[in-house]
Amino acid sequence: MAERIVVDPITRIEGHLRIEAKVEDGKIVDAWSSSTMFRGIEKILQGRDPRDAWYITQRFCGVCTTVHAIASIRSVENAVGMKVPYNAEMIRNLIMGMQYVQDHVIHFYHLHALDWVDIVSALSADPKKTAQLQQSVSDWKYSSEDYFKSVKDKLTAFAKTGRLGPFGNAYWGHSAYKLPPEANLMAAAHYLQALEVQKEIIKVHAVLGSKNPHPQTFLVGGMSIPCDPNSQNAINADKIAMIQQYIQTAKEFVEKVYIPDIIAVAPFYLDWGGIGACNGNYLSYGEFPEGRDGFPNNLWLPAGIIKGGDLSKVHPVDQEKITEDVVHSWFEDTGPRHPYKGETDKKYTGPKPPYEYLDVEDKYSFVKSPRYDGEAMEVGPLSRMLVAYASGHKEVVDTVNYVLNTLNVGPEALFSTLGRTAARAIETLLTVNKLDGWLMDLANNINSGDYAIQDTSKWSPDDWPKTAQGYGWHEAPRGALGHWIVIEDKAIKNYQAVVPSTWNAGPRDADGKSGPYELSLIGTPVADPEQPLEILRTIHSFDPCLACAVHVYDEKDKLRSKVKVL
Amino acid sequence: MGLREKLDLYGISRRDFLKFCSAVSATLALPPAMAPKVAEALESDNRPPVIWLEFQSCSGDSESLLRSGRPEVGELVLDIISLDYAEVLMAAAGHQAEEAKNKSMEENKGKYILVVEGAIPQDEDGVYCCIAGDSALNHLEKAAEGAAMIIAVGNCACYGGIPAGYPNPTGAVGVADLVKGVPVVNVPGCPMNCDNLTGLIVHYLLFGKLPALDANLRPHFAFGKRIHDNCERRAHFDAGQFVEQWGDEGHRDGWCLYKMGCKGPQSWHNCPTLRWNDGLSWPVMAGHGCVGCSEPGFLDTMAPFYGRLPNVPGFGVESTATSVGLKIMGAAAVIFGAHGIVSIIRNRGTVKKVEEGLYESEDK
């Protein structure tokens, strides 16, 4: 007998997302993904100064802050033909790189770990054994028996208050939790440590960009943080030393905690290497310009497309082949449109709130359905790592192979929920090790007497063509991000953003083809429909920027019972 | 559990805690001698329950909370305020989360603090923001009913913010435009600076009432002065030294950003003194002009961001900067008028009645 599970809201993500899933014989056989929030920022952008767009679009998301700023700025630079100075490229690399590291650390420890780690079980751990476990996986400084005893005591005292705060009311004790108490205690300690570390390392954004969230030092054509070794008000030796220290802190945590944790936890969940695959299509725009050619040349992580899980061939990306469907989205039906011609005219046809269910046969989301050459694409760290792996990128190949060998699994295990989580960790390690190099490139360039931070020749829109259009790509932590802009008479005529969560969370298209969230859930086991922990594991593995809720009803669409959700 | 036990629980020394109290005192512009009083207030076991709702937001304010300048104390504050519902942070979700919220609202009727992040869309009965199958409008109405007070964090929750930018596609408004009968305090900014939220809560615990608010419901301690008045580049403004081009000598030397579009002269916020991320920096310090993100009417009254403010000469600053500010407030009134937004806040003993006439008189 089939039953349908509805999850709303899924917490520990950004935004408002809802999943409805059909369960048969303990497995998901179909799923629908819906976002239930709309602001219309594309409309708000129309008629405004294109140089302001980065600020406004950065507010698409306050978690993956900086990413829309970069994509937006690149779209204007592409449209009017600006050449970004080397200093600005390196400052952007540092900002983007630290965004990867900090965002991934937060995701793993604070948004995803509780899907795998049973905090309550940690209360019965033996601190001595936990210390042995910690020491066996890395030489991280917090590894003594006393330390873990103090963490356990804190957690125990915390539990005794009866007020569990953010840990309250979850699925503790669920049969899908597999870690021994000692590993749970180690992970709980790292959850608390990561909370501090993420605040500390993101200070790189404050030094280079005034604040975080939402740094404010971007400019179309460059950056507004000046470079001058002889000024207190610019990037000088003192600020470079500060940045270096934050990078060191990040590096130590990633190498000694994050990576060892993944290696230690993954063996207990190897079955998740066979769950959560999509259609095998992966898209990456590539990122981190190196050398003097500027973006989009000489990218450290390559652009490319993998089709149907075939790692023997990487296809080039052609932006002309990108379209967005709205047949199942709450917008005026326009047929598939390229983003330059895209429209965002809302047309809500869903149920009047409060409601129990959406009409998934008709329109059911504010997210559009992006397609590449008519196909749904998964984007994110897994896509980046797979495209780089299949391209023969040495650092990526070596690290991915190391992880696969350590876990004793083949590359096919990457097409999964576990693969997504592992790829994110691998990418964090590779990225944190790049930061020093970019910082030194910046320092050396400043030292050579080059203080330029912006292409000032085209700052004034008076020097722009009467009409122009351009696109800006950025491989954001959550995946391929593209902004498309059409400029007329110095103002924005049309603006469309195709964001990572649109690629991943989109509903069905005109042909009835599902998006990655929907596809990845098919085949996922659900041990207890009242506690669909497994849905959260797979959805969280994408690091979604949306939020959802769960109800259960039978095949006649009648509400059977309310499902408890983690 | 008393505060001392809690401090032990979090591994925070008494000394660190007092340092925190001194910092909070400074934020609230209290004399240093008040630090022990702050500590005393925090040590009482009278923890207000907090429900944090998120609507048309980007979670930037939740993230700002996570970047709280004093990490250990950030956690401490979370615990002190008994956070019963917060989507980004909590492990529970779906109906369990809803249940936790409803239970807290019931048990703490009239006592809990409601924090709201994000704007509320009004068009078509609020279908543009639904959580758990119900609209933000309904969620807010239900939660506001039993709240002791509401703290709107970030510009979206305060004044509609980005979603309310022209043409305001979803009819987005701020909390104070909808809620009647409950005191509302605005902590605007894009995002809000978490230290100001901490300061506000500490003030409440310390004095048992809300701090003085301005006509836009912002606490004076944080929004009582113009950016321009405390700006580290102010001397350059007075001396007529302006950045003319990004990266020029004046820019590298920290000259005034007015000609690059800085909106400091018309923005009221403690950014220059409080700063961000542990006091490390703030936009003007990092070479970019202020965009006035904590003002009502933002972003329409502040964009284009690189357009120069009208009629701000290099000298005779005081009167001129004020008049520029007032002109902009006039523009805000036009926009608010166009959206039909008039704040109606009723006093519950702690908040002064909003002077509704203010915008109108400035407009004229």
Side-chain angles (χ1 to χ4, degrees), chain A residues 8-16 36-41 43-44 48-49 51-52 54-56 59-63 102 106 111 114 154 157-158 161 163 166 168-171 195-196 198-199 202-203 206-207 209-214 216-219 224-228 231 233-234 242 246 346 348 352-355 366 451 453-454 456 459 549-551 562-566, chain B residues 1 6 8-11 47 54-60 63-64 66-68 71-72 75 79 82-83 85 87-97 100 124-125 127-135 138 162-163 165-170 190-191 233 245-247 251-254 260 276-278 280-283 285-291 293 298-300 303-306:
Chain A
D8 184 357
I10 285 184
T11 51
R12 288 183 278 126
I13 72 168
E14 192 285 321
H16 305 293
T36 53
M37 194 267 274
F38 174 75
R39 290 172 291 177
I41 292 178
K43 285 280 175 207
I44 293 167
R48 293 182 191 270
D49 187 334
R51 298 174 303 174
D52 288 357
W54 72 265
Y55 185 94
I56 299 165
R59 272 69 182 169
F60 281 151
C61 180
V63 175
Q102 187 249 12
I106 285 196
L111 307 182
L114 300 183
K154 281 178 198 176
F158 189 69
T161 65
R163 293 159 58 211
N169 235 14
Y171 287 157
L195 211 49
E196 270 184 56
Q198 60 87 20
K199 287 172 199 159
I202 205 61
K203 286 178 181 169
V207 176
S210 81
K211 66 187 171 89
N212 179 287
H214 296 317
Q216 190 168 319
T217 184
F218 299 102
L219 285 180
S224 71
I225 176 93
C227 299
D228 187 342
S231 170
N233 297 89
M242 280 172 83
Y246 296 129
K346 62 187 163 56
Y348 184 78
K352 184 176 153 50
Y355 54 81
F366 280 118
Y451 302 160
I453 49 163
Q454 208 239 1
T456 50
W459 173 243
V550 184
H551 319 256
K562 304 252 175 178
V563 172
K564 293 172 184 174
V565 182
L566 181 64
Chain B
M1 184 164 57
K6 277 191 180 87
D8 292 343
L9 190 67
Y10 284 104
R47 314 284 186 256
E54 213 182 314
F55 299 135
Q56 272 180 316
S57 82
C58 69
S59 298
E63 287 289 317
S64 189
L66 283 171
R67 305 290 183 279
S68 164
E72 307 88 348
E75 283 176 47
D79 195 53
S82 181
L83 198 52
Y85 182 94
E87 282 172 32
V88 169
L89 297 173
M90 68 196 305
H95 287 288
Q96 280 181 299
E124 296 188 55
D125 298 324
V127 297
Y128 297 108
C129 180
C130 288
I131 300 125
D134 206 358
S135 68
N138 288 341
I162 301 256
Y166 179 83
N168 194 345
T170 59
C190 195
R233 300 188 184 216
Q245 206 171 55
W246 302 112
H251 191 219
R252 301 202 304 273
D253 270 350
M260 309 311 282
W276 292 79
N277 302 83
D278 250 346
L280 256 183
S281 189
W282 68 290
M285 190 172 169
H288 195 286
C290 166
V291 298
C293 73
F298 177 84
L299 49 101
D300 291 333
F305 299 141
Y306 303 101

Side-chain angles (χ1 to χ4, degrees), chain A residues 153-407:
Chain A
D153 289 348
K154 281 178 198 176
L155 288 174
T156 307
F158 189 69
K160 273 188 190 158
T161 65
R163 293 159 58 211
L164 293 177
F167 301 129
N169 235 14
Y171 287 157
W172 315 130
H174 191 289
S175 63
Y177 283 118
K178 306 284 187 200
L179 296 182
E182 284 70 28
N184 282 318
L185 178 59
M186 184 172 86
H190 295 167
Y191 178 103
L192 297 171
Q193 288 166 12
L195 211 49
E196 270 184 56
V197 164
Q198 60 87 20
K199 287 172 199 159
E200 204 56 24
I201 62 179
I202 205 61
K203 286 178 181 169
V204 166
H205 281 196
V207 176
L208 293 172
S210 81
K211 66 187 171 89
N212 179 287
H214 296 317
Q216 190 168 319
T217 184
F218 299 102
L219 285 180
V220 164
M223 297 297 295
S224 71
I225 176 93
C227 299
D228 187 342
N230 299 309
S231 170
Q232 294 177 39
N233 297 89
I235 297 177
N236 52 25
D238 179 39
K239 294 206 169 72
I240 285 168
M242 280 172 83
I243 293 167
Q244 208 162 22
Q245 283 189 355
Y246 296 129
I247 292 172
Q248 273 313 111
T249 304
K251 213 166 149 173
E252 192 187 14
F253 188 80
V254 172
E255 285 175 352
K256 297 189 174 177
V257 184
Y258 187 7
I259 298 298
D261 278 355
I262 290 282
I263 302 274
V265 168
F268 293 94
Y269 291 108
L270 281 185
D271 49 334
W272 285 85
I275 299 168
C278 291
N279 55 8
N281 295 337
Y282 299 93
L283 164 70
S284 167
Y285 290 156
E287 192 49 271
F288 300 107
E290 297 193 294
R292 303 246 161 202
D293 294 348
F295 184 84
N297 305 303
N298 281 338
L299 299 178
W300 171 55
L301 294 175
I305 283 172
I306 288 168
K307 290 182 183 169
D310 178 6
L311 294 178
S312 69
K313 191 160 177 14
V314 178
H315 305 265
V317 187
D318 175 5
Q319 66 97 20
E320 292 290 334
K321 292 184 177 171
I322 295 168
T323 54
E324 286 194 295
D325 253 25
V326 289
V327 71
H328 282 287
S329 312
W330 290 310
F331 297 106
E332 289 287 353
D333 246 328
T334 54
R337 291 260 181 132
H338 183 271
Y340 279 138
K341 301 213 165 81
E343 289 179 8
T344 312
D345 292 318
K346 62 187 163 56
K347 187 184 179 187
Y348 184 78
T349 55
K352 184 176 153 50
Y355 54 81
E356 295 286 354
Y357 309 105
L358 296 171
D359 180 6
V360 295
E361 298 304 317
D362 192 11
K363 290 172 181 281
Y364 60 89
S365 180
F366 280 118
V367 172
K368 297 180 183 179
S369 315
R371 292 295 179 262
Y372 184 88
D373 215 3
E375 296 296 326
M377 294 279 155
E378 176 178 343
V379 302
L382 176 59
S383 297
R384 278 194 291 276
M385 291 299 101
L386 285 176
V387 167
Y389 187 79
S391 302
H393 187 287
K394 193 172 180 317
E395 293 158 271
V396 174
V397 170
D398 289 352
T399 316
V400 168
N401 283 344
Y402 167 76
V403 172
L404 292 175
N405 290 339
T406 306
L407 298 177

Side-chain angles (χ1 to χ4, degrees), chain A residues 51-73:
Chain A
R51 298 174 303 174
D52 288 357
W54 72 265
Y55 185 94
I56 299 165
T57 58
Q58 187 176 197
R59 272 69 182 169
F60 281 151
C61 180
V63 175
C64 36
T65 182
T66 79
V67 306
H68 298 286
I70 302 267
S72 176
I73 274 169

Side-chain angles (χ1 to χ4, degrees), chain B:
Chain B
M1 184 164 57
L3 187 81
R4 275 202 184 78
E5 288 88 346
K6 277 191 180 87
L7 289 173
D8 292 343
L9 190 67
Y10 284 104
I12 294 166
S13 73
R14 179 79 193 157
R15 193 166 158 270
D16 282 347
F17 178 64
L18 286 174
K19 258 164 71 185
F20 164 72
C21 294
S22 301
V24 171
S25 303
T27 306
L28 290 165
L30 299 173
M34 286 297 280
K37 292 262 179 209
V38 172
E40 208 176 288
L42 290 177
E43 279 175 334
S44 72
D45 206 17
N46 190 19
R47 314 284 186 256
V50 170
I51 292 170
W52 183 303
L53 299 182
E54 213 182 314
F55 299 135
Q56 272 180 316
S57 82
C58 69
S59 298
D61 302 292
S62 291
E63 287 289 317
S64 189
L65 184 78
L66 283 171
R67 305 290 183 279
S68 164
R70 305 159 189 89
E72 307 88 348
V73 183
E75 283 176 47
L76 179 64
V77 168
L78 280 178
D79 195 53
I80 280 180
I81 59 174
S82 181
L83 198 52
D84 293 347
Y85 182 94
E87 282 172 32
V88 169
L89 297 173
M90 68 196 305
H95 287 288
Q96 280 181 299
E98 287 286 302
E99 275 162 27
K101 185 178 77 180
N102 292 336
K103 188 166 166 252
S104 174
M105 276 162 42
E106 220 165 272
E107 286 175 357
N108 303 299
K109 201 168 168 55
K111 290 183 205 155
Y112 60 87
I113 295 175
L114 177 62
V115 176
V116 179
E117 171 177 11
I120 305 101
Q122 293 190 111
D123 290 357
E124 296 188 55
D125 298 324
V127 297
Y128 297 108
C129 180
C130 288
I131 300 125
D134 206 358
S135 68
L137 272 173
N138 288 341
H139 282 292
L140 176 63
E141 193 186 338
K142 269 183 235 161
E145 205 186 316
M149 65 161 151
I150 304 177
I151 303 174
V153 294
N155 236 55
C156 295
C158 293
Y159 312 116
I162 301 256
Y166 179 83
N168 194 345
T170 59
V173 294
V175 174
D177 298 309
L178 294 168
V179 173
K180 295 167 189 170
V182 183
V184 177
V185 184
N186 287 331
V187 184
C190 195
M192 61 108 187
N193 189 324
C194 190
D195 290 351
N196 283 330
L197 177 64
T198 314
L200 175 63
I201 290 167
V202 171
H203 187 287
Y204 182 69
L205 293 170
L206 183 58
F207 298 115
K209 63 176 183 180
L210 295 176
L213 305 178
D214 69 12
N216 298 309
L217 303 180
R218 301 177 292 194
H220 274 295
F221 74 78
F223 300 89
K225 288 194 172 158
R226 271 180 307 224
I227 295 271
H228 192 59
D229 294 334
N230 282 324
C231 183
E232 63 214 36
R233 300 188 184 216
R234 175 59 181 267
H236 294 291
F237 178 89
D238 292 348
Q241 293 173 316
F242 297 103
V243 176
E244 304 283 346
Q245 206 171 55
W246 302 112
D248 69 11
E249 205 176 336
H251 191 219
R252 301 202 304 273
D253 270 350
W255 287 10
C256 178
L257 290 158
Y258 153 67
K259 287 189 176 178
M260 309 311 282
C262 182
K263 305 294 187 283
Q266 70 207 29
S267 305
W268 278 256
H269 204 165
N270 57 355
C271 266
T273 47
L274 187 66
R275 298 182 182 171
W276 292 79
N277 302 83
D278 250 346
L280 256 183
S281 189
W282 68 290
V284 168
M285 190 172 169
H288 195 286
C290 166
V291 298
C293 73
S294 53
E295 292 301 307
F298 177 84
L299 49 101
D300 291 333
T301 53
M302 297 294 170
F305 299 141
Y306 303 101
R308 202 179 294 181
L309 288 175
N311 306 319
V312 184
F315 305 96
V317 189
E318 275 309 317
S319 58
T320 321
T322 305
S323 63
V324 168
L326 291 177
K327 271 182 194 158
I328 294 298
M329 287 180 76
V334 172
I335 283 163
F336 278 8
H339 291 306
I341 300 168
V342 179
S343 303
I344 306 165
I345 316 289
R346 287 190 193 133
N347 192 352
R348 216 190 223 191
T350 44
V351 181
K352 283 183 187 172
K353 194 172 191 297
V354 179
E355 293 169 33
E356 293 175 46
L358 183 89
Y359 284 137
E360 286 165 33
S361 62
E362 296 296 350
D363 195 18
K364 282 160 197 164

